[in-house]
Amino acid sequence: MGFALCGVAPFERFPEHASIAEWLARGYAGEMAYLNDARRRAPEQLLAGARSVIVCALNYNTPHPYSVEASSGNEEAPQGWISRYAWGRDYHEVMWERLNALLERVNERFKERQLSRAYADTGPIAERIFAKHAGLGWLGKNTLLLNENLGSWFFLGVIVTTLDLAPSLGPAEMPPADLCGNCRQCLDACPTGAIVEPYVLDARKCISYLTIELRGNIPGEFREAMGRHVYGCDICQEVCPYNRAVPLTEMKEFEPRSWEDGKRLLRPELEWLAEMTEEEFRERFRGSAMKRTKWRGLVRNACVALGNTKLERGTPGHTRIVRLLGRLEESPEEGIAESARWALRRIV
């Protein structure tokens, strides 16, 4: 059905669930209050009578350069960076459609009365924990699920069911071994030091959190380290040795969006994003995961990225961007105005 990986785990509480409470207690979730839902650490509360969980993975690795390899554009038209997973169609929708198609097949195969729920990164469930115990990989030092052959460029979705399915791992089998070894490339490469120790992420420092989940102003201590990232960050995956030679996806849904007017999501022009209207945002990002950051968040992020550009003073590009930021510092949206003022101080 197009999934790159699939496995079955018993629907029960695993040792890894115990660490969620400690992680939350440290405040590492930041403003993501939805992560406090008790069902994430006590999965038995999710669906009464659930016995099994089917875990599926969709490969989204496309044949385009990584952010650490790609050009940032010329000084006349500096470019930003959008996380690889958000280039194409909204992965929630793609995964949801395929999970429900699979669920139809499950219902055809098993005639007994049963209850099932599909989650495409949309419910209070720690997918990666169940993925590990379904034999799909191990939890890496960057906190993502890693697979020896597929790396980490894949989305996870699950079907929780009251069916008593045979687990992928037999009674004597252990989950895949942790193959991170002594490697710490993800920790060392993170620009903001968000991976505070192996296997532990402080989301409040993560560029993905700062550019997507955070609704207020981005803390000044992280702005320069954000570089040209305007939506998410892939660096901890890009430097991972297990992502050096992994298969490409065959799914066209995950190819970068582009439009007839030349606008694109692969290395987008920062000026375009910064001067985008809310109406254009709604139109361009219909059916895109980038809706998550909202219009004001994307413009805020573009202002910060413009403040990190190396513009030669007096050039047409510099003059044009200074004027743009000057208009934005008068925005009624405080987050946009403050970010534009910060950027102007950096480049004027």
Side-chain angles (χ1 to χ4, degrees), residues 122-243:
T122 52
I125 182 171
E127 294 93 346
R128 62 198 180 99
I129 294 177
F130 288 105
K132 171 183 174 178
H133 290 277
L136 303 191
W138 72 94
L139 302 182
K141 290 182 181 178
N142 62 3
T143 76
L144 300 175
L145 187 80
L146 298 179
N147 179 277
E148 189 171 7
N149 298 314
L150 286 177
S152 61
W153 299 117
F154 51 82
F155 302 117
L156 291 173
V158 300
I159 295 174
V160 179
T161 178
T162 56
L163 289 171
D164 188 11
L165 303 176
S168 298
L169 300 178
E173 292 182 281
M174 299 294 290
D178 182 342
L179 301 181
C180 286
N182 294 323
C183 178
R184 49 176 294 121
Q185 291 190 53
C186 57
L187 285 84
D188 296 337
C190 179
T192 56
I195 308 173
V196 292
E197 59 184 88
Y199 312 103
V200 180
L201 176 78
D202 184 345
R204 298 170 300 180
K205 299 180 179 181
C206 178
I207 292 175
S208 288
Y209 170 83
L210 295 169
T211 56
I212 301 172
E213 299 290 340
L214 183 66
R215 296 293 176 235
N217 294 338
I218 295 170
E221 63 190 292
F222 301 126
R223 295 185 186 186
E224 184 174 357
M226 281 173 52
R228 57 197 176 99
H229 291 85
V230 294
Y231 187 93
C233 179
D234 295 325
I235 292 175
C236 70
Q237 296 189 80
E238 293 174 341
V239 301
C240 178
Y242 289 99
N243 280 327

Side-chain angles (χ1 to χ4, degrees), residues 91-326:
Y91 74 94
H92 300 89
E93 297 177 2
V94 179
M95 176 66 82
W96 182 259
E97 291 171 359
R98 293 190 177 231
L99 287 175
N100 279 292
L102 174 58
L103 189 52
E104 288 184 14
R105 298 284 293 276
V106 170
N107 290 334
E108 292 171 2
R109 173 68 175 80
F110 299 96
K111 301 301 184 182
E112 62 263 40
R113 180 180 175 84
Q114 51 104 355
L115 292 174
S116 298
R117 290 180 185 170
Y119 296 101
D121 196 18
T122 52
I125 182 171
E127 294 93 346
R128 62 198 180 99
I129 294 177
F130 288 105
K132 171 183 174 178
H133 290 277
L136 303 191
W138 72 94
L139 302 182
K141 290 182 181 178
N142 62 3
T143 76
L144 300 175
L145 187 80
L146 298 179
N147 179 277
E148 189 171 7
N149 298 314
L150 286 177
S152 61
W153 299 117
F154 51 82
F155 302 117
L156 291 173
V158 300
I159 295 174
V160 179
T161 178
T162 56
L163 289 171
D164 188 11
L165 303 176
S168 298
L169 300 178
E173 292 182 281
M174 299 294 290
D178 182 342
L179 301 181
C180 286
N182 294 323
C183 178
R184 49 176 294 121
Q185 291 190 53
C186 57
L187 285 84
D188 296 337
C190 179
T192 56
I195 308 173
V196 292
E197 59 184 88
Y199 312 103
V200 180
L201 176 78
D202 184 345
R204 298 170 300 180
K205 299 180 179 181
C206 178
I207 292 175
S208 288
Y209 170 83
L210 295 169
T211 56
I212 301 172
E213 299 290 340
L214 183 66
R215 296 293 176 235
N217 294 338
I218 295 170
E221 63 190 292
F222 301 126
R223 295 185 186 186
E224 184 174 357
M226 281 173 52
R228 57 197 176 99
H229 291 85
V230 294
Y231 187 93
C233 179
D234 295 325
I235 292 175
C236 70
Q237 296 189 80
E238 293 174 341
V239 301
C240 178
Y242 289 99
N243 280 327
R244 286 177 184 162
V246 291
L248 298 175
T249 184
E250 297 180 357
M251 299 183 63
K252 300 301 182 184
E253 294 97 323
F254 299 138
E255 284 290 334
R257 281 190 178 190
S258 61
W259 292 269
E260 292 182 356
D261 60 1
K263 306 303 184 187
R264 63 185 189 276
L265 295 189
L266 177 61
R267 300 194 295 274
E269 292 188 0
L270 289 173
E271 290 175 79
W272 166 53
L273 299 179
E275 63 187 1
M276 183 178 291
T277 65
E278 190 167 5
E279 181 181 5
E280 182 183 2
F281 176 85
R282 287 195 298 268
E283 180 63 29
R284 298 273 189 181
F285 298 113
R286 184 177 291 115
S288 165
M290 287 187 64
K291 298 189 302 290
R292 181 74 176 179
T293 191
K294 303 187 183 302
W295 164 75
R296 60 184 59 84
L298 184 62
V299 176
R300 173 202 63 185
N301 300 340
C303 288
V304 172
L306 284 170
N308 287 325
T309 56
K310 307 299 181 183
L311 295 164
E312 184 178 347
R313 289 173 174 81
T315 62
H318 179 265
T319 301
R320 194 174 60 250
I321 289 171
V322 167
R323 288 175 180 167
L324 170 59
L325 291 170

